[in-house]
Amino acid sequence: MDLTILYRGPLASCDYDCPYCPFAKRRDSRAQLTSDREALERFTGWAAAQTGDRLSVLFTPWGEGLVRSWYRRALTELSHLPHIGRVAIQTNLSGRTAWLADADPERIALWCTYHPGQTPYERFLGKCRELSARGIRFSVGVVGFEAHLEEARRLRAALPAEVYLWVNAAEGRTYTDEEAERWTELDPLFPYSRHPHRSAGLPCRTGESVISVDGEGTVRRCHFVKAELGNLYDGSYRRALRPRACPLAVCDCHIGYVHLETLPLYDVFAGGVLERIPAVPGTAGPAPDGPAVPGPSRRTLPLLGP
């Protein structure tokens, strides 16, 4: 089996207080942190034992994982396993990077978000330079608020050309064509983030070759469809894996719509889907036509149960 896993445990605490994030500056109790560590160690042990499968893992914690030793340890350990194709994590890059010296740079990758106002620009840029010096694959991005535009331009100019800078449309924000053009100058793929994508009844890899797993081992097709497919640890999820159409009206988050078969993003991000790195930096691929408009589908599926 070739399987991509999006893992999100109970960790919710973060060291930033971004006004657009519901988990900013939230503090987990010691018991909550212990629960998260135990859940992650259980998942890591399971993944290590699946030597008959080919796994790729993206950690998508609500909080900041890399300030916790157990996330650094999990990434390092998984990066050395031959049946792990890639292990990556979403991070604000606030923590140290020296631990990456113990990881396999061929398998580990970081999906980094720059939050202006939360960290000094030079500090964040310095961390990016450390990653480059260590030969670590990474992408960098910002949320597309107008107040962030000049900082994003500054960062794009300072980063090596091969480092992809992505832009996420701000939640609930409608962009004029002029505004969208400014962001697209920085990120040729911004048009994919600008509008939600219609997904109801359309084929998606989630639930077939991509799954979401929580700290209890509950398997769902993705983070956004709540119906359960089984449990990771008793193996019951395997019987539920099959081609599925999306039951939701639209998909508006990259970690969801990147898996839609009606979009060309598996080709655009070939070799870097988890860490959000395009196969050819600076290229956009076929542009979406507008809000919630799908491209040609490779499969037509009935609207199955989620």
Side-chain angles (χ1 to χ4, degrees):
M1 182 185 299
D2 195 336
L3 189 64
T4 294
I5 302 174
L6 310 179
Y7 177 88
R8 178 175 287 165
L11 181 76
S13 56
C14 186
D15 49 347
Y16 285 3
D17 61 353
C18 304
Y20 42 86
C21 178
F23 291 91
K25 286 295 185 183
R26 173 170 168 175
R27 293 184 178 275
D28 285 326
S29 68
R30 180 167 297 184
Q32 288 171 321
L33 291 175
T34 298
S35 176
D36 182 72
R37 176 178 55 78
E38 291 175 347
L40 183 62
E41 289 174 351
R42 185 185 187 193
F43 172 77
T44 303
W46 174 89
Q50 307 308 301
T51 55
D53 295 332
R54 178 76 168 174
L55 303 180
S56 297
V57 180
L58 173 63
F59 295 108
T60 64
W62 282 120
E64 175 52 38
L66 291 185
V67 298
R68 307 296 176 185
S69 62
W70 48 96
Y71 281 89
R72 300 192 298 267
R73 184 165 56 249
L75 284 154
T76 300
E77 292 176 358
L78 291 176
S79 77
H80 288 287
L81 300 179
H83 65 285
I84 302 294
R86 182 86 73 218
V87 57
I89 189 170
Q90 295 177 318
T91 175
N92 63 24
L93 205 57
S94 62
R96 60 191 179 90
T97 64
W99 63 276
L100 287 160
D102 295 325
D104 183 345
E106 295 299 318
R107 290 192 176 91
I108 199 167
L110 303 183
W111 168 332
C112 310
T113 306
Y114 174 47
H115 299 282
Q118 300 297 312
T119 184
Y121 167 81
E122 292 295 344
R123 175 183 170 87
F124 185 86
L125 180 59
K127 299 280 185 170
C128 293
R129 287 172 173 161
E130 290 173 12
L131 296 181
S132 292
R134 293 183 182 277
I136 301 299
R137 289 174 57 86
F138 70 103
S139 65
V140 173
V142 299
V143 180
F145 290 106
E146 192 68 23
H148 293 177
L149 181 59
E150 289 308 314
E151 285 286 271
R153 286 171 170 165
R154 184 185 181 195
L155 185 61
R156 173 65 281 170
L159 289 170
E162 66 270 17
V163 174
Y164 172 50
L165 187 141
W166 49 265
V167 178
N168 274 350
E171 186 173 355
R173 175 85 158 79
T174 300
Y175 294 83
T176 66
D177 289 345
E178 182 181 358
E179 291 169 335
E181 184 177 354
R182 290 199 291 268
W183 289 111
T184 304
E185 289 174 357
L186 287 174
D187 175 10
L189 298 173
F190 176 71
Y192 287 101
S193 181
R194 181 184 177 187
H195 299 293
H197 298 275
R198 194 178 81 222
S199 56
L202 298 178
C204 182
R205 297 171 180 86
T206 61
E208 180 183 10
S209 61
V210 181
I211 58 173
S212 167
V213 178
D214 67 16
E216 299 296 322
T218 301
V219 175
R220 298 174 174 85
R221 62 177 302 168
C222 71
H223 289 334
F224 314 105
V225 177
K226 300 305 180 184
E228 299 179 6
L229 301 183
N231 190 273
L232 193 73
Y233 303 122
D234 65 12
S236 57
Y237 76 97
R238 286 182 177 258
R239 297 189 297 273
L241 298 179
R242 64 174 184 268
R244 282 178 164 78
C246 181
L248 304 182
V250 296
C251 188
D252 64 357
C253 182
H254 178 90
I255 58 175
Y257 65 70
V258 72
H259 304 295
L260 279 172
E261 294 189 28
T262 50
L263 296 177
L265 296 180
Y266 262 50
D267 294 326
V268 172
F269 290 96
V273 170
L274 287 194
E275 60 270 38
R276 199 172 180 175
I277 297 179
V280 181
T283 60
D289 297 325
V293 176
S297 173
R298 287 188 290 153
R299 287 192 279 173
T300 301
L301 300 177
L303 189 57
L304 304 174

